[in-house]
Amino acid sequence: MILTGFFLILHVIKYLIAIGLSLMNALVGRFTLIFLFSVLFTACFNKKKDDQDSILTPKIEDKGSPLIDVGLPLVINVNDPVIKDVWPQFATVYVTGDSFTLNASFSDDRKLEKFWFDINPVFQLSVDNSGWEYTDTRSLTGTIRGFTNKYKIPSSIDGGFYKLIVNCMDSAGNLATPVQTYFIIRNTFDDSIPLCKITSLDTNNYNNNFVSIGGTVTVDGFTSDNISVKYYDVRVKNKNSQQVISTLVSQDQVYSSPVPVATSWTVPAGTPLGWYQVVLRSVDRYNNMDSLTVDVRVQP
């Protein structure tokens, strides 16, 4: 009787153990299912987020270009017909050994990345020394940034006219419209520009300067400098298009002052009637340059 009861209890215990194991397996399976579902959901969510991020990348969404504003040196549009012949009178003037100042601001609707500028000599008709060539690149952050800095101008460079181009890029790679201007550097060893003079044409009343097809325009005068003239030339340009029609004389390595100018222009057959310009340019050994322009009318 006692033995029969013992086996009965043992059977009940085995039954309970079996039920417990079954429940445990069910719970483990449920948690496994939940875990797998969670992993799958997370993967799908992350893929969706990655797809969304790829669609909204700055390069695709950010189409706006940054803007540049330059305060110094004074921005001059040399292509403006109103000032194209007199812009050097308004240009910022620096001196070798002094400091060049760049004052600018940059803005973008999203995020700025960087800006850079280049300085290069222009109108170097003759070079004894070397022109100043300089490049600087700076990182930018945010949407609006100002920049002011001074750069030492080497004492040994040629004076003359220089071109400044400022560029800017945002974080999406959009480029701003470059800002371009010109300024003047005077060399401390010689900061005086040459003098140009034409005596054979009327420099006060251009209506007195007329010539017919096949006729000859005489160009007499001189150029001088406080030290020496290194280069000079005389050219004829179409006044409207500014295209050079003829180079009458061009001499380098002169190194004297004053230098006489004596040349002429015979108007070729087929030359369109209208206004032309005789231009005398002179350069000293430090690339200080000046010019004199006289209008001439070709008539029937």
Side-chain angles (χ1 to χ4, degrees), residues 58-65 109-110 170 172 174:
K59 289 186 178 180
I60 296 177
E61 186 181 70
D62 187 357
K63 298 294 186 180
S65 298
D109 59 340
R110 288 301 185 90
D170 66 15
N174 299 311

Side-chain angles (χ1 to χ4, degrees), residues 253-273:
Q253 309 294 330
V254 180
Y255 294 118
S256 63
S257 182
V259 179
V261 174
T263 186
S264 62
W265 177 48
T266 299
V267 182
T271 300
L273 304 180

